[in-house]
Amino acid sequence: MKKLLTLIFISGLFFGEIQGQNTEEKMVSQAFDKLIVGMIKADAMDLSSVVSEDLSYGHSSGVIQDKAAFLQEVVSKNPISYQTIERESETVQVSGNTAIMRNLLIIRGLSPTGDPINLRLATLMVWKKEKKQWKLYARQGFRLPA
């Protein structure tokens, strides 16, 4: 419950930013909200609903995962159990059924041994509209200094 309240609070911080977006851009941002909730809850069904079957998920370490590997990693909470994912900034560009999203993210979580993990990442995501729903198609992240 505490995680959900944190997410609602964080989402509220970005409401003003989302207001300036057009309808499709808002829908992409909302799909990203669902992805964040799924990652924090470690819920495969929530995640699967916003992730393309053809997902290519690139980590800052160079590891690239498909949908099954990404879902397994998040649900297993290894190497990280997500506690919060905050956005420092976000841009969304929509062209037809494709959208490009750029974010600066602050991620806080725990390792499997309970050690705190704090990451600052820049991400580039490609979203694809599939049957009127935006799904994450590709993502690449890289670490930034804290």
Side-chain angles (χ1 to χ4, degrees):
M1 184 62 155
K2 183 179 176 184
K3 290 179 185 178
L4 185 58
L5 291 174
T6 301
L7 178 63
I8 291 168
F9 173 75
I10 291 167
S11 294
L13 293 175
F14 292 95
F15 181 70
E17 221 174 278
I18 291 172
Q19 282 182 326
Q21 296 176 335
N22 71 35
T23 302
E24 290 298 323
E25 291 167 343
K26 286 179 189 177
M27 291 175 67
V28 173
S29 289
Q30 290 168 350
F32 185 52
D33 290 340
K34 290 179 185 177
L35 181 72
I36 289 172
V37 170
M39 291 174 77
I40 291 171
K41 287 175 38 182
D43 186 293
M45 288 185 68
D46 285 353
L47 290 168
S48 194
S49 72
V50 292
V51 173
S52 173
E53 292 299 320
D54 300 319
L55 178 68
S56 176
Y57 194 91
H59 291 270
S60 60
S61 64
V63 171
I64 298 175
Q65 297 173 315
D66 62 8
K67 180 179 181 176
F70 167 70
L71 294 177
Q72 190 280 328
E73 180 177 291
V74 174
V75 171
S76 72
K77 300 181 180 183
N78 188 11
I80 183 171
S81 173
Y82 295 94
Q83 293 180 314
T84 62
I85 301 173
E86 301 171 32
R87 302 177 202 177
E88 282 189 352
S89 65
E90 176 176 290
T91 62
V92 179
Q93 284 180 276
V94 175
S95 178
N97 68 343
T98 305
I100 296 171
M101 174 184 273
R102 288 182 172 84
N103 287 304
L104 293 177
L105 305 173
I106 304 297
I107 298 171
R108 292 181 180 86
L110 297 172
S111 73
T113 59
D115 295 323
I117 296 174
N118 296 302
L119 302 171
R120 187 166 180 248
L121 296 178
T123 65
L124 170 65
M125 292 180 245
V126 178
W127 294 81
K128 186 175 169 184
K129 198 167 193 182
E130 298 176 359
K131 298 180 183 175
K132 299 184 180 184
Q133 184 179 359
W134 288 100
K135 299 221 177 196
L136 181 62
Y137 187 73
R139 181 260 198 196
Q140 183 61 55
F142 59 94
R143 285 188 189 197
L144 297 171

